[in-house]
Amino acid sequence: EAQVTQNPRYLITVTGKKLTVTCSQNMNHEYMSWYRQDPGLGLRQIYYSMNVEVTDKGDVPEGYKVSRKEKRNFPLILESPSPNQTSLYFCASSLLAGSLGNEQFFGPGTRLTVL
Amino acid sequence: KQEVTQIPAALSVPEGENLVLNCSFTDSAIYNLQWFRQDPGKGLTSLLLIQSSQREQTSGRLNASLDKSSGRSTLYIAASQPGDSATYLCAVMGDSGYALNFGKGTSLLVTP
């Protein structure tokens, strides 16, 4: 089944404890991205990747890191989480970046709480 | 920066009604526009993707239109059902092909 998977689905952690949220897609998509969703603010793009080893900042990149060493995986790293990073996080992928017919497929989400 | 606005923010209709959800965007230089459905606590399900060169797309009871020059899109839902209750999100892909900007959604409740 074609899908985007995220792990963990739920995470409660404490301020300053490094964490990684994994994202994997099995559709051989080139483009992957991360979003956070907050009440009243909607979905905002954190980082995106056009292909392996190619990443760039979205609208709210502060406090996050990403890497794209393999085409299928795009982990989101919070090196020193803070309470304002408590949010619902989504990973997404699409076949190609910068082209027509660029349908985005989303993962199920990761609910992160930072105490 | 692209701003995407969805009106209304919330909508309640009786079952069977036809309804229209609106999405407007400030920068007409877009690659495509995508409508999503989000159920409470769940991920996003893609409903329709309209490329910038297209005027509309249809899938079952859903029809989405795009007027790029005026910065507007509408999602038409025919013969609404209680199972249509969800939040509907509009997302615009800028002409770089990399940045996806979302509206804040319309929360739809269809009552039996």
Side-chain angles (χ1 to χ4, degrees), chain A residues 45-104:
Chain A
Q45 192 174 48
I46 303 171
Y47 268 96
Y48 60 88
S49 170
M50 291 77 83
N51 213 324
V52 175
E53 302 290 4
V54 184
T55 63
D56 207 348
K57 297 176 181 178
D59 291 327
V60 288
E62 296 78 19
Y64 304 95
K65 283 178 58 176
V66 292
S67 68
R68 187 93 181 272
K69 293 184 171 59
E70 304 168 281
K71 198 171 188 179
R72 64 182 294 129
N73 297 322
F74 189 44
L76 180 69
I77 303 158
L78 285 73
E79 296 212 323
S80 184
S82 61
N84 64 13
Q85 293 178 297
T86 293
S87 188
L88 180 58
Y89 290 86
F90 289 102
C91 179
S93 73
S94 66
L95 184 59
L96 295 171
S99 68
L100 295 177
N102 201 12
E103 185 176 9
Q104 301 286 319

Side-chain angles (χ1 to χ4, degrees), chain B residues 25-86:
Chain B
F25 48 95
T26 55
D27 186 348
S28 61
I30 67 169
Y31 248 132
N32 59 50
L33 184 145
Q34 196 166 353
W35 283 93
F36 294 90
R37 169 188 172 133
Q38 185 176 26
D39 293 285
K42 299 289 179 64
L44 279 69
T45 301
S46 177
L47 297 174
L48 290 164
L49 171 71
I50 311 177
Q51 299 174 15
S52 61
S53 58
Q54 297 176 321
R55 297 284 291 183
E56 66 178 320
Q57 282 284 351
T58 298
S59 176
R61 294 182 294 109
L62 304 179
N63 175 275
S65 68
L66 174 64
D67 185 341
K68 205 171 74 160
S69 61
S70 68
R72 295 178 188 272
S73 176
T74 60
L75 179 66
Y76 175 82
I77 303 176
S80 58
Q81 303 170 357
D84 294 331
S85 298

